[in-house]
Structures are given as C-alpha cells and as structure tokens.
C-alpha cells in the first residue's frame, strides 16, 4: 500500500477480507498511523515531506521487490495518477493496481483526453483542444467562444492552474497566472480554454474495466457541494438524474473509458448544465475518495473489484445493469476550522466517538489519541450514511453527526450540521458554486448557543456541587473546583469555538 490515512486503511481491510497479506509504507510522522497499526507489515519510507517519502516512486518499487510484494495499490493522491510510476511498477514486475501507464498518460493530459473523447463521440465542455501558446491566441480564442471562459492547465489537477475569466480586461492577468501556476505545480505550463458553464452540477460515473475488454458503468455520484472546486459532500444517486439520463451518462462514460482501453477502476466526470445537457470534464484514473457512496447503493466492494481485475479475473454478470438501491451520502471530515477560513487544525485527537447504528459507515484514518500532522491532506475520515431514500439518508446523517464527537482539534462537523438545516441542500438544489456562495453570505453559521447560556450552565453546576457538599457535610475541595475550571477553559480554547 503506497499511501497513508483512511485510504490505506480501506485497502488493508479489503486485502484482509480476501485473505491477502498487506504491507504499508509510512513517513516519520505516520509511524503510529492507523494503517501502520492494522497492516501485516509496515516499512519506513522517509521523513515527513511527501517528496522524500510518499512520492519516492523508485524507492517504493524497490521496497516492494525486496519484501516480495506481488502488487502495489496506490490509493488516491501521491503517485496514484502518475503514469511514470505505473510504468516503473510494470517494468519491475510488480503489478500496479490500476489502469495501464498508457491509459493513465492519455487521460492525464486534459488536451489529449479532450481530443480522444471527442473522437469517441462523447460530448465535451465546449472549447479548444489546442494549446494556447501566446497571449494573442488566448485573446482570439476567447473572442471566438465568448466570455465567460475558463483557462485550464492541461496537466492540471486539484484546481491548480485554473482561472475563470469573466471579461476581456481580466484575460491577460489570468493567462499569465494560469501558466505560471501550472508550470510551478506540474512542471508543464501548457494551458487551453473552455467555455465557462454557468451554475452546473458536477455529476460523475464510476466505471470498471477488466483485462478482457469488458467495461461497466456503476451509476453516478453527485459531487456539486464543493469548496473552491474541492468536493466536500457527495451522494448517490444524484437527486436530478433520471433513469434515462443515467443510461445516457453511463453509455458516455463507458465510451470514454473504451477510447483509451481503460482497465481497473476509474471515474468519468461530467458537468451537468441547467439545460440538462452534460459534458465530459475529465477522467480520474484511480479509486476516488467518494467511492463508498457507490458501494452503499450497489452493494459492491470496489477495492475487491480492483484486486480481482488486477489478477486478471473477468467482471461477472453481477456488474451488469445495476440500478441504485436507496440513497447514500458522504461527508468529508477535515481537520480544518470551517468558520475561520478553513485553516488547518493539527494536533492530538483528545476524544473521539464514532456514530453507530443502522445505515452508518465510518472510513477513518485516525483514532482517539492520534496526532493529526500538518504535513498532509487534512482529511481525517469520511462519514457515509445509507437510507432507503434521500430523506431517510439525510435524517440518518443528522443522527450520525449528533452522535459524533471529535475533540482536541477543529473539524468540518459543525458545517455539516448547519448544512443539514439548509433548505436548498435538503431539496437537492445544488450547483458547484452553491457552498462557496452560502459560506460567503454567512448562511451556514454554526449553531451557537449564547454566552449567557454557557454562564447559566456553569452557575447551575456550581450550585449543584455546593448543594452536594452541604448534603454530604464535606466542604467542596478548592483544588478540585479550580481544576474543573481549568479543564473547561482548556477544552473551550482547544475546540476554538467561534466566539473565542
Ligand atoms: P482539476 O483537475 O484541477 O480538479 P477539473 O477540470 O476537474 O479540474 O475542474 C474542477 C472543478 O472546477 C469542477 O468540478 C467544476 O466545479 C469546476 N469547473 C471546471 N471546468 C469548468 C467549466 N468549464 N465551467 C464551469 N465550471 C468548471
């Protein structure tokens, strides 16, 4: 397992289900990570910085050979979409659990994939398939397709090198910024231009391809709730996708995958316009963070499917013509303060209680007492709920969030509690800008009880203690009271409540 956190744990569990031994790599701060504790074997790969540890492709392949690992699962992030790494594995005779290096490279370039996908007859976001090498070319092309436009890095990912341009005056600055950001992030400053789609939804289709030419689509996920183009909440099915649309999107997704001879698990992302038209956005050549919502409504284990495909097994009939059963929602629990600009909140998890009961699944990479380091993505865990319909799934999410306790660090939990009270979210009226708009308008403020209520609780507690002391005849211990105060104060400051 060439990864860390919750996805390493997820894969180790699937391996154990299959009776396959597991080995995980770790960096210094991850020495006591949950994945290290759960895996059969664990090997230090380097210090904290990813480039010296989780991105050390050759060292990882060498380690795999040395310990006699048959295969490497890359998870998501780090080397998961690195065609060179997949090639290294192939050359070393270690199976890479994912698509071929060639399929990955074809989809890794947005320009290249747009060309291939157009040829395959799949609708793409209107715009160019050519490199914009000069400012003049950018100006000419923007005038041709009309504003607003989106500048994008061909090698892009994670929203980097992407710029929305609303009017001609802003193009020059955006063009330079997109190129330099792309160059710095990906070592490739190639940019191209797309038409900006107004208030679309992000809907994606999960696909699987085996080594014998069979490709199946497993339905869609609605991922429109994003903060700065990063997904925060995902669900399946989409509240607006009809069975006919699902059929069309799945057919398009299968065509896109076949266009590059795709194998293993992948995701074809679409933008769904308010008109009901959908356009290919990009393909992610790996397992996605949000894969559990598909698992919950199909009953499949996608990691197991990945392992089977990697071993050359055929996709059986159980993958054909699947329709979603019920409804699943996932919220991403980040160690961030959603009410102070989403600043990371590293530290020790002092207390942790996961919700339980019908329809609840926790995919966590942490445990009570674990240290959340500042070095990596701040996602701690994913909370996934299932219900027989969307309304039941929402109610179960509310129950789960009410039971959940994470203390010692700030998390995005209060934001989700507020979101569940939002009428647009409840009604499924989503678009990719909705969360940012609501946050900016202060519409998703945390439930806050007044400071007077806090004072009232403290006064009542003191009164209770004093009464107990009078009843038992023993005076209240001064030190005991003081430490109670100290503890309360400490907890408040650690939790970083919005009014502190
Ligand atoms: P990256 O690979 O950097 O994540 P994507 O191409 O997947 O970039 O786009 C990320 C997000 O940006 C999408 O989910 C969507 O919210 C928004 N987006 C991308 N392209 C467009 C577009 N042409 N019009 C409107 N929104 C877009």
């Amino acid at each position: 397992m060439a990864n860390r956190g919750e996805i390493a744990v997820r894969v180790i569990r699937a391996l154990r289900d299959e009776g396959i031994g597991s080995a995980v790599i770790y960096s210094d701060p991850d020495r006591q990570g949950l994945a290290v504790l759960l895996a059969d074997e664990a090997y230090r790969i380097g210090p904290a910085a990813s480039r010296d540890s989780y991105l050390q492709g050759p060292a990882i392949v060498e380690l795999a050979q040395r310990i006699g690992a048959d295969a490497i699962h890359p998870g998501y992030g780090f080397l998961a979409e690195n065609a060179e790494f997949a090639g290294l594995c192939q050359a070393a005779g270690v199976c890479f659990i994912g698509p071929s290096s060639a399929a990955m490279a074809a989809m890794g370039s947005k320009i290249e994939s747009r060309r291939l996908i157009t040829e395959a007859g799949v609708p793409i976001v209107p715009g160019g398939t050519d490199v914009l090498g000069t400012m003049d070319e950018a100006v000419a092309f923007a005038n041709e397709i009309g504003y607003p436009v989106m500048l994008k890095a061909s090698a892009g990912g994670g929203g980097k090198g992407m710029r929305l341009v609303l009017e001609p005056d802003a193009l020059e600055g955006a063009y330079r910024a997109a190129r330099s950001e792309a160059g710095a992030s990906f070592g490739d400053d190639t940019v191209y231009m797309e038409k900006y789609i107004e208030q679309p939804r992000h809907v994606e289709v999960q696909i699987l391809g085996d080594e014998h030419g069979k490709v199946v689509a497993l339905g869609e996920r609605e991922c429109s709730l994003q903060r700065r183009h990063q997904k925060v909440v995902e669900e399946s099915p989409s509240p607006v996708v009809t069975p006919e649309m699902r059929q069309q999107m799945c057919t398009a997704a299968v065509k896109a995958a076949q266009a590059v001879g795709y194998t293993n698990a992948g995701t074809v992302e679409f933008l769904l316009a308010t008109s009901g038209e959908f356009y290919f956005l990009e393909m992610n050549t790996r397992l996605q963070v949000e894969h559990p919502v598909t698992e919950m409504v199909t009953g499949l284990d996608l990691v197991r499917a990945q392992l089977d495909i990697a071993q050359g097994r055929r996709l059986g009939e159980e993958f054909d013509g699947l329709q979603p059963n019920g409804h699943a929602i996932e919220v991403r629990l980040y160690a961030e303060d959603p009410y102070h600009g989403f600043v990371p909140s590293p530290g020790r998890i002092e207390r942790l209680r996961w919700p339980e009961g019908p329809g609840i699944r926790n995919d966590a990479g942490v445990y009570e007492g674990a240290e959340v380091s500042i070095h990596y993505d701040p996602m701690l865990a994913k909370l996934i709920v299932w219900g027989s319909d969307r309304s039941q799934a929402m109610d179960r999410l509310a129950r789960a969030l009410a039971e959940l306790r994470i203390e010692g660090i700030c998390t995005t939990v209060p934001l989700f509690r507020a979101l569940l009270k939002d009428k647009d979210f409840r009604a499924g009226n989503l678009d990719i800008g909705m969360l940012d708009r609501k946050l900016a308008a202060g519409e998703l403020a945390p439930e806050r009880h007044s400071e007077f209520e806090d004072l009232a609780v403290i006064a009542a507690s003191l009164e209770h203690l004093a009464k107990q002391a009078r009843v038992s005849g023993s005076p209240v211990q001064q030190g005991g009271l003081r430490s109670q105060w100290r503890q309360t104060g400490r907890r408040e400051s650690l939790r970083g409540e919005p009014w502190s």
Side-chain angles (χ1 to χ4, degrees), residues 208 216-220 246-247 250 294 297-300 302 316-325:
L208 290 174
V216 294
L218 306 176
E220 83 284 0
R246 179 168 305 122
Q247 183 69 46
C250 285
T294 300
V297 297
T298 59
L300 296 169
L302 292 175
E317 284 172 8
E318 68 274 24
F319 293 94
D320 298 336
L322 282 167
Q323 289 301 320
N325 171 33

Side-chain angles (χ1 to χ4, degrees), residues 1 12 27 86 129 141 211 220 263 271 289 314 329 368 416 459:
M1 185 61 213
I12 290 165
S27 68
T129 48
F141 195 70
E211 310 272 349
E220 83 284 0
T263 52
L271 285 183
V289 174
R314 288 174 188 274
I329 307 174
E368 185 170 292
F416 299 131

Side-chain angles (χ1 to χ4, degrees), residues 110 152 157-159 162 194-195 197 202 226 229 282 432:
K110 292 197 190 214
K152 283 195 182 180
M162 203 162 79
E194 283 176 12
K195 181 93 187 129
I197 312 288
H202 174 120
Q226 304 181 349
H229 301 309
E282 67 165 347
I432 58 171

